[in-house]
């Protein structure tokens, strides 16, 4: 799993990733690899080409609202709500909550992301651990959100008892469990792999479709003149991983990564994606021995970064602090034996690359300092030089030599600023 550690850490921090890089660096491929490794036998296809826990959605340039993802209500005849592939995949994920399900939004920025993805961006911010019925305790094994598709549209499926679903051609029953709805949407006559307790639930007709906590949304991104720029709203809500491609010789033998693996290994991978935390307070409660260090040192590190970015729109806020703390919790869970200072250092390094640097862009005036600033032994003439000195000195792990470090990336941005009088994270 070492090869995929940065992806796993990011996913367990927040299940929405952007994979950025030039064409051909394996962005969509990595999503398939993760699906193959975690797909149990009962979801495997016979041909070994598309795991049942994987859904590729090709974004089109003409998407200007959410209907292509979330569907829409039709008043023509008894058509009712038109469920799209994305929603159907989320319903399927609800049936198998122990398995990670991967949505790959291919070429995500061919259309304006804020137009077609706005509702989901908002839904992601409603993630929380629900209370256990009849108590004030929270169910820490479950993460729920507000509904993406309202319950009334699923209830309507049961009310149209004398009609047929125009998508499947099958008659509706008068009362539908979650399992019934799944089978109707996919045109399935029998299904034996859904656990009875899960299949008998009526969450869809009572609560609506929430974002299942086993669903991971990964968007692939090419930044060129055919695509749209990301707003800070999108970048703030995602974990960004820049993929620069590896050594060309690494391609050989890679086909083995797109094959199903043994049951024992599958179970390890399924557990590797489990999301434990939604808030920083949950991390502090679980890791009480390190809580004091986290509360004292982590905000201080971000405040140093904010000093370097003061006066720009790129100063970090509570969301970054929350996700940095969650990442520290994830790394503490891995029990690597490292001390808290080393873990904080590595988490700050990753948050710089995944959350802070992708937001930064501007001209020379934005980053110019009125007076030079001394950071250690370095005299900084602009804010990016200052930020570079704050970036932790960490070398890439074995197999990631081709990836830029945080300092490498900032230096690239500095050179772009010097050459073009304008800079940004994206190539």
């Amino acid at each position: 799993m070492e090869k995929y550690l940065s992806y796993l850490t990011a996913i367990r921090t927040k299940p929405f990733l952007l994979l950025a890089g030039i064409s051909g660096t394996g962005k969509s491929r990595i999503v398939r690899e993760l699906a193959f490794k975690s797909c149990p036998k009962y979801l495997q296809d016979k041909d070994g080409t598309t795991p049942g826990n994987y859904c590729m959605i090709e974004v089109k340039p003409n998407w200007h609202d959410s209907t292509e993802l979330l569907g829409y209500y039709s008043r023509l005849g008894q058509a009712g709500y038109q469920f799209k592939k994305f929603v159907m995949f989320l319903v399927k994920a609800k049936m198998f909550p122990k398995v990670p399900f991967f949505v790959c939004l291919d070429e995500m920025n061919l259309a304006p992301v804020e137009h077609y993805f706005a509702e989901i961006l908002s839904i992601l911010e409603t993630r929380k651990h629900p209370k256990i019925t009849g108590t004030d305790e929270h169910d820490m094994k479950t993460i729920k959100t507000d509904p993406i598709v309202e319950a009334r549209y699923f209830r309507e499926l049961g009310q149209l008892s004398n009609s047929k679903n125009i998508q499947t051609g099958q008659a509706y029953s008068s009362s539908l469990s979650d399992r019934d709805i799944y089978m109707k949407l996919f045109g399935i006559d029998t299904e034996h792999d859904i656990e009875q307790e899960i299949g008998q639930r009526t969450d869809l007709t009572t609560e609506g479709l929430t974002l299942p906590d086993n669903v991971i949304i990964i968007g692939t991104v090419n930044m060129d003149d055919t695509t749209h720029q990301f707003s800070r709203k999108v970048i703030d809500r995602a974990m960004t991983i820049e993929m620069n491609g590896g050594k060309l010789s690494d391609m050989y033998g890679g086909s083995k990564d797109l094959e199903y693996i043994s049951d024992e290994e599958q179970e390890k991978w399924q557990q590797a994606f489990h999301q434990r935390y939604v808030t920083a307070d949950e991390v502090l409660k679980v890791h009480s021995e390190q809580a004091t260090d986290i509360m004292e040192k982590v905000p201080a590190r971000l405040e140093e970064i904010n000093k370097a970015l003061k006066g720009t729109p790129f100063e970090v806020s509570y969301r970054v602090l929350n996700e940095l703390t969650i990442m520290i919790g994830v790394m503490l869970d891995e029990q690597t034996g490292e001390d808290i200072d080393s873990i904080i250092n590595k988490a700050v390094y990753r948050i710089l690359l995944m959350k802070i640097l992708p937001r930064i862009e501007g001209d020379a005036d934005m980053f110019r300092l009125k007076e030079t600033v001394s950071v250690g032994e370095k005299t900084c003439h602009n804010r990016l030089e200052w930020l570079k000195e704050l970036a932790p000195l960490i070398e890439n792990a074995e197999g990631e030599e081709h990836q830029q470090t945080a300092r490498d990336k900032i230096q690239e941005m500095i050179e772009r600023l010097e050459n073009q009088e304008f800079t940004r994270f994206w190539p």
Side-chain angles (χ1 to χ4, degrees), residues 116-330:
Y116 71 87
F117 208 63
E119 291 93 335
I120 300 165
L121 288 174
S122 297
I123 288 294
L124 281 166
E125 296 306 299
T126 68
R127 298 167 67 243
K128 63 181 180 181
H129 293 290
K131 282 189 175 181
I132 299 173
T133 305
T135 73
D136 290 328
E137 297 293 321
H138 289 83
D139 180 0
M140 300 305 293
K141 295 182 179 179
T142 305
I143 299 173
K144 300 201 76 169
T145 69
D146 287 348
I148 295 176
V149 178
E150 295 179 28
R152 62 193 177 104
Y153 297 123
F154 293 102
R155 287 197 296 268
E156 188 179 81
L157 294 181
Q159 294 166 0
L160 299 173
S161 57
N162 296 323
S163 66
K164 291 186 176 181
N165 185 321
I166 62 172
Q167 292 174 295
T168 65
Q170 296 187 38
Y172 292 113
S173 62
S174 58
S175 178
L176 299 177
S177 66
D178 289 356
R179 179 178 181 274
D180 293 332
I181 291 172
Y182 163 68
M183 293 175 65
K184 291 293 183 184
L185 291 178
F186 283 88
I188 300 172
D189 293 324
T190 59
E191 174 57 74
H192 303 294
D193 297 311
I194 299 173
E195 293 182 15
Q196 185 175 5
E197 178 189 352
I198 294 168
Q200 289 178 345
R201 291 175 182 170
T202 56
D203 293 348
L204 293 171
T205 55
T206 56
E207 301 176 1
L209 176 62
T210 58
L211 183 64
D213 60 6
N214 59 327
V215 169
I216 298 151
I217 300 174
I218 303 179
T220 68
V221 178
N222 287 326
M223 300 300 288
D224 56 35
D225 55 7
T226 68
T227 60
H228 294 265
Q229 299 296 315
F230 284 112
S231 70
R232 285 196 293 276
K233 175 182 178 181
V234 176
I235 296 172
D236 279 350
R237 287 161 172 77
M239 307 295 289
T240 300
I241 297 178
E242 187 175 26
M243 298 178 64
N244 299 314
K247 294 180 292 186
L248 292 179
S249 59
D250 289 344
M251 181 198 74
Y252 299 116
S255 58
K256 292 292 184 182
D257 291 324
L258 296 176
E259 295 178 358
Y260 297 119
I261 57 179
S262 68
D263 293 349
E264 183 180 352
E265 289 299 312
Q266 288 165 16
E267 291 177 6
K268 290 179 182 178
W269 276 95
Q270 289 163 17
Q271 294 169 6
F273 294 99
H274 177 68
Q275 299 152 47
R276 187 175 185 182
Y277 309 108
V278 176
T279 68
D281 287 341
E282 294 165 1
V283 174
L284 299 177
K285 184 176 180 180
V286 171
H287 296 285
S288 56
E289 292 183 2
Q290 294 85 10
T292 299
D293 279 330
I294 291 172
M295 288 188 290
E296 289 179 355
K297 297 176 181 179
V298 175
R301 296 291 292 271
L302 291 184
E303 284 165 3
E304 288 178 354
I305 290 172
N306 273 347
K307 285 181 183 178
L309 296 173
K310 189 173 178 60
T312 73
F314 314 121
E315 294 180 62
V316 301
S317 60
Y318 294 125
R319 181 180 288 115
V320 174
L321 175 58
N322 185 67
E323 292 175 7
L324 172 55
T325 307
I326 291 173
M327 182 174 286
I328 291 169
V330 168

Side-chain angles (χ1 to χ4, degrees), residues 369 371-381 386 389-390:
L369 291 168
E371 298 179 355
T372 59
V373 173
S374 295
V375 183
E377 298 180 357
K378 175 73 175 181
T379 299
C380 303
H381 299 84
W386 187 353
E389 293 307 306
L390 297 177

Side-chain angles (χ1 to χ4, degrees), residues 12-37:
R12 291 171 65 190
T13 302
K14 196 168 192 179
F16 175 34
L17 270 64
L18 299 179
L19 302 184
I22 62 174
S23 180
T25 51
K27 299 183 295 296
S28 56
R29 177 192 173 93
I30 200 74
V31 189
R32 290 182 65 212
E33 287 181 21
L34 296 175
F36 267 104
K37 292 182 183 303

